Amino acid sequence: MFNLKNGVCTLKVVEGMGPKGESTIAGLIQDEDLEQIEADDKLKRLPKVTKMGVAAVKEAIASSGLDVRHKKVGLFFGSSLGATGEKLYQDSIHYANQELYRKVSLIFSHYANYHSITAAIGHYIGARGVEKTITTGCTSSLEAVEDAILYLKSGKVDVAIVGGTDSPICNATTYAFAKTKTIPLNQTLEEGAVPFQKGSKGFAMSEAAGAIVLEREEDAVQRKADIKGEIVDVVSNNDGINIFSLDESGDQMLNALKEVTMGRMPDYINSQALGIELNDQIEQRCSKQLFNHEVPYTSIKSMYGNPFGVIGILQVISSLLSLQYGFIPPTIRTTRRGYEEMNIITETIYREVHEVAITNHGFGGNNACAYMKKYIKS
């Protein structure tokens, strides 16, 4: 929470990552951050992306005080690229193409199967109920929340552990996004991967994992849980355009946000703006048409970059902290150039926060928006 409240940038310029040796901007989790997980012999062979997910779920369960035994536990995890950025995965593809059978890893199939991530997390926590892996691009973990809510409302699960994990940074992803001109090459932290700033040439790829515990209100109250907030609704849709095209109108994002807000004026929008001009302009359109630029906007991607399928759950977690501790996190680094008419928060605001709306967009055209409220004991 310290980084969030104080606007600390966790990104860095990484030299030589580009296809012609250019620098780019990225957010990396260091191996020492996973030392406790690495010490467990049962987890050593798992890919980094899974270890990150295990660490996040372990923290979420500890924070919730939840005993998962004797409950119908649902595990819902989102991931956009799974373990495809891992060296073992990339090497195995290379060896297979070279017909070097003996060099292909024995556990490649587990790395290639996205659901192996969720299954491994479920095994680690002893959950044997519903397990779902959602992969809808950068909206994956927020849509995992949407699915979990439906399962809770139907009574199919007693409690849902929901999150996301992605570790996508490798030559393949760097080169692919460089080709589409959506990552910043040879830009400084003041210029590149900056939400709501004309001239930013793309987003910062980053690694992350996050998880929360969701319950029905009556169940949480009964076990005297420390309730962090209420997720009122999640609405998702798709732009419905050709996969090789981009929706420049933002109509479907506008529709999703309109449906989830239902005419309400949240205290702020925790937005998906990430430094790609088209995406950020869609946020600007939503701000104008739905709120006449009166509602404050912010983007935590200015601090953490875009960890693909994890960003939705990070936005949920940051919004819960905001609701609980009374602050609006800032969009750091931006000069607001090109977005002057918007109400963009660039310095932390400390005040009571009652309602937050979240916007999220994924590669492939998926949009997901959530509405969250401060929990008031009845």
Side-chain angles (χ1 to χ4, degrees):
M1 185 168 67
F2 178 88
N3 291 351
L4 193 67
K5 288 178 87 172
N6 292 279
V8 176
C9 182
T10 64
L11 306 173
K12 66 178 183 179
V13 174
V14 183
E15 302 293 340
M17 276 185 66
K20 296 179 180 178
E22 305 96 328
S23 68
T24 190
I25 298 170
L28 302 168
I29 291 179
Q30 304 303 318
D31 290 340
E32 53 262 31
D33 294 330
L34 296 170
E35 282 181 357
Q36 190 176 359
I37 299 297
E38 293 281 0
D40 189 328
D41 289 337
K42 295 179 181 178
L43 301 176
K44 276 187 177 179
R45 298 175 73 192
L46 295 174
K48 180 179 182 181
V49 67
T50 305
K51 293 171 186 172
M52 288 161 46
V54 168
V57 167
K58 186 178 177 182
E59 287 183 12
I61 292 176
S63 175
S64 71
L66 179 72
D67 184 352
V68 298
R69 295 171 299 178
H70 314 302
K71 287 183 178 291
K72 291 189 292 183
V73 177
L75 180 62
F76 302 82
F77 243 70
S79 189
S80 179
L81 290 173
T84 57
E86 308 271 349
K87 187 176 186 301
L88 183 148
Y89 180 98
Q90 297 289 327
D91 286 349
S92 293
I93 295 289
H94 172 74
Y95 294 144
N97 288 336
Q98 298 297 314
E99 298 184 2
L100 299 173
Y101 167 73
R102 291 184 177 276
K103 288 194 172 185
V104 174
S105 173
L106 178 67
I107 56 175
F108 169 73
S109 57
H110 297 289
Y111 275 57
N113 178 10
Y114 285 53
H115 188 64
S116 291
I117 297 169
T118 310
I121 294 169
H123 169 72
Y124 181 82
I125 64 173
R128 296 184 176 181
V130 174
E131 290 185 0
K132 299 286 184 182
T133 303
I134 294 87
T135 176
T136 53
C138 294
T139 60
S140 296
S141 58
L142 192 52
E143 293 196 60
V145 173
E146 183 181 29
D147 286 7
I149 290 172
L150 293 173
Y151 271 79
L152 282 166
K153 285 183 174 179
S154 71
K156 287 188 174 182
V157 298
D158 297 325
V159 61
I161 299 167
V162 192
T165 184
D166 253 319
S167 177
I169 303 172
C170 63
N171 283 351
T173 52
T174 302
Y175 291 5
F177 287 112
K179 282 216 165 198
T180 58
K181 301 185 187 305
T182 51
I183 58 171
L185 299 177
N186 288 338
Q187 283 198 310
T188 65
L189 282 172
E190 289 73 35
E191 300 169 313
V194 184
F196 298 126
Q197 179 166 292
K198 187 176 182 180
S200 173
K201 294 181 180 178
F203 70 96
M205 291 191 291
S206 60
E207 302 175 305
I212 61 172
V213 173
L214 283 180
E215 295 176 271
R216 292 180 288 268
E217 181 184 10
E218 58 270 26
D219 295 335
V221 169
Q222 185 175 16
R223 72 175 186 88
K224 299 179 180 179
D226 178 16
I227 300 173
K228 313 294 186 187
E230 175 188 355
I231 300 177
V232 178
D233 197 9
V234 180
V235 172
S236 63
N237 62 28
N238 189 275
D239 293 334
I241 60 167
N242 187 294
I243 190 66
F244 299 113
S245 302
L246 291 170
D247 176 29
E248 297 184 9
S249 72
D251 285 346
Q252 286 296 85
M253 172 64 84
L254 184 72
N255 290 339
L257 186 56
K258 184 177 181 180
E259 184 177 345
V260 85
T261 54
M262 297 178 63
R264 294 170 291 205
M265 297 284 278
D267 291 296
Y268 74 95
I269 307 292
N270 191 325
S271 85
Q272 66 90 39
L274 72 171
I276 297 177
E277 193 165 345
L278 176 60
N279 293 67
D280 295 4
Q281 287 174 344
I282 289 171
E283 294 290 291
Q284 187 176 39
R285 181 191 172 200
C286 291
S287 172
K288 174 63 176 175
Q289 291 196 213
L290 295 181
F291 312 114
N292 197 30
H293 295 318
E294 293 176 14
V295 173
Y297 267 67
T298 195
S299 173
I300 64 171
K301 293 183 183 181
S302 60
M303 293 179 263
Y304 303 113
N306 182 36
F308 293 78
V310 189
I311 189 59
I313 200 68
L314 294 192
Q315 288 175 271
V316 169
I317 292 169
S318 67
S319 297
L320 288 170
L321 291 170
S322 178
L323 290 163
Q324 192 171 22
Y325 294 102
F327 70 97
I328 301 176
T331 304
I332 64 170
R333 300 187 292 129
T334 184
T335 64
R336 300 177 59 233
R337 186 170 68 249
Y339 299 87
E340 291 87 354
E341 63 181 0
M342 289 184 70
N343 186 358
I344 299 168
I345 303 301
T346 57
E347 298 286 342
T348 307
I349 293 178
Y350 294 93
R351 73 180 191 207
E352 194 83 1
V353 176
H354 296 278
E355 300 182 11
V356 182
I358 292 171
T359 60
N360 193 207
H361 177 77
F363 190 76
N366 269 36
N367 303 288
C369 294
Y371 205 83
M372 302 179 61
K373 292 174 66 176
K374 186 180 183 72
Y375 179 68
I376 307 296
K377 293 181 182 179
S378 54

